[in-house]
Amino acid sequence: MTRDSNLYASKGSLVALMVLALSLLALPVQAAVDIGKVISSSGSFMAKQSDGQTRKLKRRSKIHEGDLLITGANSQAQIRFKDSSLLELKPNTEFKVDEFSFSGKADGSEKSVYSLIKGGMRTITGKIGKKDKSKYKVNTPVASIGIRGTHYGLQLCTSGSCNGDDGLFGGIYEGAIVLGNESGEHPIGADGWNWFYVPAEGGDPQRLDALPAPMAEAEPDPDATAEEGGEAGDDGTADSGLDEDTDLAVDEEVVAVETAAAPTDTTTPTGDVSDPTNDFQSTEQTTGDSTTTGNISPTATAAPKGGWLGIGFNQDHTDYGIEAVGEGLQIDGDTTITLDTVGGVGNVPVFGSIVETDASENDPCDPCTFSSGSATLKDDGGVSTGAPDNASFAANYGRWDDGYAITDNGVPETPLGSFHYLYVASEHLTSDYSEANACVAGLDCDLFTGAHFVGRFVYADGPPPTDHTGASGSVVSDPDFTHIDVDFATQEIVGLQIKVDVGGVTYHGFDSEFVLFEDPVVEQDMSFSNIIADGESIDLIGTIDDGANTYDLVGEIGLTFIGPDAEAMGAGFGMWEDEMDSTMSVAGVGLFKRCEGGVDNCGSVSTTASFAAPGTWMGVAFLNDMGGSVGKVGTAESFITDVDTALVLDTVGPVGNVPLFGAMQDLSDPMSPCDPCVIANGSATLVDTGGISTGTPDFAPFAVNWGRWDGGYIAEQSGIQANTLGSLHYLHVDPSHVSSSTDYSNASACATLDCSGGGAGIARFTYHSGPSPTDHTGATGSVNSDPNITHVDVNFFTQAIVGTQITVDVGSGQYHGLDSTSPVQVLSFSNIIAGGEQIELNGVYTPSAGPTTNLVGQMGVTFLGPDADGAGVSFSMWGDTAPSALGVSGVGVFKRCDTAITSGPGACN
């Protein structure tokens, strides 16, 4: 069972010349460096090397720097580079890898330069360019492409190749690009302009209203003949261009189960499932380790159809390194499992087989098998119906340790460690997991208040997971880091994390937005119909942390619902290093129990906590130390609670509306996606709280509250936990006090307060109050309230922010930031206020003595009150030269001036 990873002369005598030639032959040959790998291909696909030689490419072929990649007339290919970027090449395409350098992290040495010479491409950018956009570039004869982190496509038409106009056609699926040619640089995608065309002769890009026809037409002909594609098979039809071994390889597909000698009795196997007094706790048998000879015993029986088996194991593939498998197998006519009683333990899978020859499968099994062989049965246990906790289902688990066998299409694999299993008979699986059934049986479905019915499942029990060395570990049971969230209203899985510790190494995976190793790139289908009913696995991404270094992770997990009302879930999981020659992995199975009685059992949330109402705004700001060549950086966010953003509020001591936990999923910026982004109070101390009540002070027509969590708070982005510094600052605004788009329209905003500043309808907001900002050391300071150097200026006639400055004094130094003008920002209300985008800042830090330091930063803004009477602001600034050694962050309330902006004395100087 295999998978694609991701994913890296001078003149002289004749004698002298002979000696020179021999010496040159003796020199070591510089091996080509692998920078990527072919995920899939069809038809003719080749690479022309810099030395002029060519290589035929197929699935799993390595890609090298300098390769000119060429697809045929009815061909296409997909490549995964070492920085995790994905590239799809269309038919009749020539694409060159001019430069590629990536050490495994964005440390300043990374760089990728490509050339689209002809044809079409589509790509999702990876780590290169994520922090420094100048590190990524695609050249074409018409224009060059830079990124702001994105998913985009290009089609280059030359000499009438597209049956129409020549030039460059493009489309932005997510994010934005910067297109450059002799007419200048042109940002595309940030303002909703997604499709464009640049004529072959150059000039400004032209806006298109829909997907350009050449991009839609650049697909291979499904009826292409063998002469146009790969080698012909025995039947004369064209194959995929892959060799026989590759075609039959199983990509992350494992399965277990039947031999011709296995009995066909369909009666339910007997034998104790578990100790009925230990539901959701370890229930190891007291008979000691048991062994089987590998031959099916006379007591073995075929598992009845309709059951489910979760499996997880590690293996060492000769070509691709160490990997893991995590699957949920539905026992049907194609998947068969043989059960036996081993040493007094019943319902133990001893053999399995799966036949999967569906043409839609990338890696068919014909068959793939598992056998317990000479392995030792360990850590067996389970759950019995009725007790404890009145469990309404039964399930059993265990692991075969060392000596089991795996085959992939008849070819033996090299298993590592243990084969983990979780077996559930059909009568204990959930047949009706509809909202109507799942949410009426006294189980909580209202994890997020509102129209959705989200249930959280937290880890309860299972055998210890094992890694590639055979070492056993544990699943981290903290619900904040290991959980499955499902929405019974929309019938889909909406969030998943699993964290495992083994031998000082932590594996932390969470659901990926996209299906891994798939061509073309598609989003994961997380619907119950796909994951539960059809048995598809969920692809995982994340990190591996060995205490000294972190590594990218990929993986998979198979799931099912258990019990008459979906009271529990079963899982089989595997995670491994996201490298072409991976060196570490972990696998296991587990039972997840559904939370009851509210969210207090579903994470670090008190029994008095509640979820913030939709439309709540919260400004958040903090610093973290990314170490290495990056150093200290900051975050300033504008959270608006909706279906993708949740905020948990509680009363802490006498202080109300205090945020304890927040989670946001936002994939609009591939440079810095939130999948999800999480903040939590952790072990921090609440300090510096305060707020404004309606009517006071200054008769404010709005109410807000603020504070900061000092030391010990948690911040995590897409599964990667930050090394937080100082305080987590927050500013909370109830939906009733957040200005609506009607409130900050010209008609409303200028009806009661002055907007005529400078004769252009400009209003100024100046700093009013908030918690003390803190720097990277945790030291507190103050926002400088001088309106000349701290303000937000807006134009209600053009509906845009026209100028911002923020000045903060901490210790003996001063941070001063203002809105950046390069690159050009979209500062419209629709982008910043309604869309929640940040304003990018630059500026300078001035110490009392010594040289100054250039700054970068970001600011989040919203309007407050029925007529945009105030503004809520979050901000963060840090050093612009890596590694950054300093930073500051905070939040604040800004009050709108009731007089015009003047040069004389007054609040709005």
Side-chain angles (χ1 to χ4, degrees), residues 355-378:
V355 176
E356 176 58 78
T357 57
D358 188 334
S360 66
E361 292 292 325
N362 286 330
D363 293 289
C365 277
D366 194 16
C368 299
T369 67
F370 147 75
S371 174
S372 55
S374 60
T376 301
L377 181 62
K378 291 185 175 181

Side-chain angles (χ1 to χ4, degrees), residues 3 312-317 320-326 404 414-418 420 465-473 500-503 505-508 543-544 551-556 573-579 581-588:
R3 50 86 184 154
F313 65 89
N314 305 287
Q315 63 180 8
D316 187 357
H317 192 282
Y320 313 116
I322 293 170
E323 56 193 10
V325 170
Y404 66 95
T414 304
L416 302 172
S418 296
H420 304 255
T466 57
D467 69 4
H468 57 285
T469 69
S472 61
V500 177
D501 289 330
V502 183
V505 179
T506 299
Y507 298 77
H508 189 187
T543 58
I544 303 172
Y551 311 86
D552 289 337
L553 168 155
V554 291
E556 59 182 2
F573 62 87
M575 298 180 283
W576 64 95
E577 182 186 8
D578 185 17
E579 286 292 338
D581 297 306
S582 56
T583 60
M584 61 188 89
S585 66
V586 71

Side-chain angles (χ1 to χ4, degrees), residues 812-834:
S812 59
Q814 184 178 82
Y815 295 79
H816 181 208
L818 62 159
D819 52 289
S820 173
T821 58
S822 179
V824 177
Q825 299 189 71
V826 180
L827 299 182
S828 64
F829 291 174
S830 60
N831 190 48
I832 304 300
I833 308 298

Side-chain angles (χ1 to χ4, degrees), residues 29 52 203 205 325 350 358 568 736 788:
V29 178
V325 170
V350 293
D358 188 334
S736 62
N788 292 306

Side-chain angles (χ1 to χ4, degrees), residues 279-367:
D279 182 21
F280 290 114
Q281 299 179 24
S282 177
T283 55
E284 295 184 18
Q285 303 292 329
T286 58
T287 56
D289 293 342
S290 306
T291 61
T292 177
T293 64
N295 297 318
I296 306 301
S297 77
T299 60
T301 58
K305 291 183 180 180
W308 183 87
L309 184 73
I311 62 172
F313 65 89
N314 305 287
Q315 63 180 8
D316 187 357
H317 192 282
T318 303
D319 295 328
Y320 313 116
I322 293 170
E323 56 193 10
V325 170
E327 294 279 354
L329 307 178
Q330 297 175 331
I331 303 170
D332 53 24
D334 293 324
T335 297
T336 55
I337 306 293
T338 301
L339 303 172
D340 201 358
T341 298
V342 180
V345 182
N347 285 344
V348 177
V350 293
F351 190 83
S353 174
I354 184 171
V355 176
E356 176 58 78
T357 57
D358 188 334
S360 66
E361 292 292 325
N362 286 330
D363 293 289
C365 277
D366 194 16

Side-chain angles (χ1 to χ4, degrees), residues 515-538:
V515 177
L516 303 180
F517 322 122
E518 185 71 24
D519 178 28
V521 177
V522 294
E523 292 187 6
Q524 287 209 81
D525 180 359
M526 304 281 279
S527 65
F528 291 173
S529 60
N530 188 53
I531 304 301
I532 308 298
D534 293 344
E536 292 296 323
S537 294
I538 296 174

Side-chain angles (χ1 to χ4, degrees), residues 581-623:
D581 297 306
S582 56
T583 60
M584 61 188 89
S585 66
V586 71
V589 296
L591 279 167
F592 284 65
K593 183 180 180 182
R594 181 150 155 217
C595 299
E596 301 180 20
V599 299
D600 53 300
N601 295 322
C602 296
S604 55
V605 180
S606 79
T607 56
T608 60
S610 62
F611 278 82
T616 299
W617 185 89
M618 187 174 75
V620 175
F622 62 90
L623 299 168

